[in-house]
Amino acid sequence: MTEGAQTNAGLPAELAVAGARPLRGRMRVPGDKSISHRAVLFAALASGASRLSGLADGGDVAASRAAVEALGVKVRESTRPSGEPVLVVRGGGFEGLAEPEGVIDCGNSGTSIRLLAGILAGRPFHTVLTGDSSILRRPMARVADPLRLMGARIDGRDGGRLAPLSIRGGGLVGMRHELAVASAQVKTALVLAGLQAAGATEVTEPALSRDHTERLLPTMGATLVAIPGGVRVEPVAGGGLSAVDLAVPGDPSAAAFFVVAACVTPGSDLVVEDVCLNPTRIGFLDVLRRMGADVEVVVKEERGGEPVGDIRAAAGPLRATTMAGAEIPSVIDEIPALAVAAAFAAGTTEVADAAELRVKESDRIGTIAQELSQLGITVETRPDGLAITGGRPRAALLKSHGDHRIAMAAAIAANACDGPSTVRGWRAVASSYPGFAADLASVTE
Ligand code: S3P
């Protein structure tokens, strides 16, 4: 693999992919992005110094870090006695947060803007949250509406439905929310507001979304109780949240690209080490097993309330499958990678009940279909999903559409094709995985 023209962000504007390079050996991926956001944001609400290592190194988690600094929280880089880099976040409790001087820019990060909305809904000052052109298109009513019902004053564009969001918080009252769509971002925002509300707050969802908040917050002293279909949170008691020492495990959503790459590139046999194996995140392994893939998982330990271990994947023939219903939240971020598996599988893979894909960093139903079509694959799009008829994808000129996961999906598809391909808009990977190309090179050379 070679790199194209450099941009001022230090990443190439285009990635050149040689093709037909098996993935072999052992590798690690960056820390889990969902856990990293929560670790930084929850640490900012705790009293005392939290120590966080293995954090995701992309722009999204950097946006959460910059946001808490703008709210007056002291953050510094240090090292553990082992020499491992650690971020020290010195929170002063919820009351320690202060009105920011300027607008808080969440960049490309939906998790930052929605979780911050939940925190700031409880703070008695004014904040404006904004982001890049993708964030300005993504739905915010799903988080703003229930926070308004709890008593926060939130305004925004398009009748308050779009960012920039203007928030003046405080005076929240706990209540029950029944989410129409499973969303860990909305669930977490409402839990964070609930910690600051008078009385208990309950959140239910139609299917279980990722539960990192439910796992991490109780280790910091919060009272969260499982209820049918959801969670109840009690207001945070006098002492507030306690600081935490956390080593974040590898991101299964990042690992998924390499696991699929190994499954579809002949001659591959790869181990991805130290990955978060939370059941709400590894639906992609069940899907791959149904497709006949040669994948194995070994759970090695529990860390910060999360199972952690290794995933081994080897190349072999794949057959089509269906993804729908309650399984969708557990594979939602992996559908771009799984679509690549479908492109190499025998038969037609169907994805249904996944309209959420339309409001991710790009409209992923449209962008997946466009890029697989470039590879010569037949794709039918539907309002809530896709039908992908596998075949023999051929090398092509591909595009990221400004979406990190589409960029990485394009790269692994290209890596499995014969002959050279190009992925344009490569810089999009900076949101979650700036070192993706280097890591792919390290297991393909
Ligand atoms: C995330 C939740 C999911 C996921 C996103 C990260 C989180 O979004 O797609 O990448 O960290 O809570 P939704 O809550 O919108 O489903």
Side-chain angles (χ1 to χ4, degrees), residues 34 38 111 114 142 182-185 210 332-333 360 405:
S34 289
R38 286 160 175 76
T111 307
R114 295 194 177 117
R142 54 183 57 197
S183 165
Q185 291 174 357
R210 63 195 64 191
I332 192 72
D333 289 343
K360 293 294 179 188
R405 298 199 203 280

Side-chain angles (χ1 to χ4, degrees), residues 17 261 264-265 340 343-344 372 375 393 398 408-417 421:
V17 184
V264 299
T265 311
V340 172
F344 285 85
L372 293 186
L375 294 160
L398 300 166
M408 293 184 278
I412 60 163
N415 181 70
C417 292
S421 295

Side-chain angles (χ1 to χ4, degrees), residues 54-233:
L55 291 168
D57 58 352
D60 282 13
V61 173
S64 284
R65 173 190 169 165
V68 302
E69 290 184 290
L71 292 164
V73 176
K74 294 279 172 268
V75 180
R76 70 182 171 85
E77 277 146 42
S78 183
T79 46
R80 290 194 188 274
S82 63
E84 191 187 6
V86 68
L87 199 69
V88 183
V89 180
R90 191 172 288 279
F94 282 92
E95 285 71 33
L97 299 183
E99 186 170 79
E101 282 181 358
V103 169
I104 293 182
D105 187 349
C106 298
N108 191 237
S109 177
T111 307
S112 301
I113 194 167
R114 295 194 177 117
L115 269 54
L116 282 163
I119 292 169
L120 295 166
R123 304 322 311 145
F125 52 70
H126 178 242
T127 319
V128 178
L129 300 175
T130 192
D132 70 5
S133 58
S134 157
I135 282 291
L136 296 180
R137 285 193 300 270
R138 295 181 67 183
M140 294 298 149
R142 54 183 57 197
V143 68
D145 285 345
L147 291 171
R148 285 187 193 108
L149 289 175
M150 293 175 78
R153 284 184 282 165
I154 303 182
D155 209 344
R157 289 186 304 126
D158 189 27
R161 287 186 285 267
L162 293 175
L165 296 176
S166 161
I167 304 176
R168 188 173 287 280
L172 299 183
V173 178
M175 59 180 292
R176 182 177 167 87
H177 303 277
E178 292 177 11
L179 306 188
V181 176
S183 165
Q185 291 174 357
V186 176
K187 175 173 63 176
T188 302
L190 297 174
V191 164
L192 291 167
L195 287 172
Q196 308 172 74
T201 296
E202 294 185 346
V203 189
T204 66
E205 44 184 359
L208 180 63
S209 65
R210 63 195 64 191
D211 63 357
H212 306 298
T213 298
E214 295 92 312
R215 289 170 185 256
L216 182 55
L217 271 180
T219 72
M220 301 175 72
T223 305
L224 270 69
V225 182
I227 58 171
V231 63
R232 182 173 68 240
V233 57

Side-chain angles (χ1 to χ4, degrees), residues 174-322:
M175 59 180 292
R176 182 177 167 87
H177 303 277
E178 292 177 11
L179 306 188
V181 176
S183 165
Q185 291 174 357
V186 176
K187 175 173 63 176
T188 302
L190 297 174
V191 164
L192 291 167
L195 287 172
Q196 308 172 74
T201 296
E202 294 185 346
V203 189
T204 66
E205 44 184 359
L208 180 63
S209 65
R210 63 195 64 191
D211 63 357
H212 306 298
T213 298
E214 295 92 312
R215 289 170 185 256
L216 182 55
L217 271 180
T219 72
M220 301 175 72
T223 305
L224 270 69
V225 182
I227 58 171
V231 63
R232 182 173 68 240
V233 57
E234 303 290 343
V236 72
L241 297 177
S242 44
V244 67
D245 188 318
L246 190 66
V248 178
D251 193 330
S253 301
F257 291 101
F258 291 98
V259 169
V260 170
C263 291
V264 299
T265 311
S268 299
D269 192 345
L270 182 74
V271 177
V272 190
E273 298 175 335
D274 203 56
V275 181
C276 173
L277 297 172
N278 179 318
T280 64
R281 296 291 301 284
I282 54 170
F284 73 96
L285 293 171
D286 295 331
V287 173
L288 288 171
R289 281 193 201 98
R290 288 206 299 275
M291 297 178 85
D294 184 359
V295 288
E296 278 167 38
V297 173
V298 186
V299 180
K300 294 204 155 154
E301 59 174 313
E302 176 152 328
R303 213 190 291 155
E306 301 275 354
V308 181
D310 298 347
I311 305 172
R312 186 189 144 263
L318 300 179
R319 56 179 177 269
T321 188
T322 297

Side-chain angles (χ1 to χ4, degrees), residues 419-434:
S421 295
T422 300
V423 184
R424 285 209 172 134
W426 183 248
R427 206 156 53 118
V429 296
S431 296
S432 71
Y433 201 160

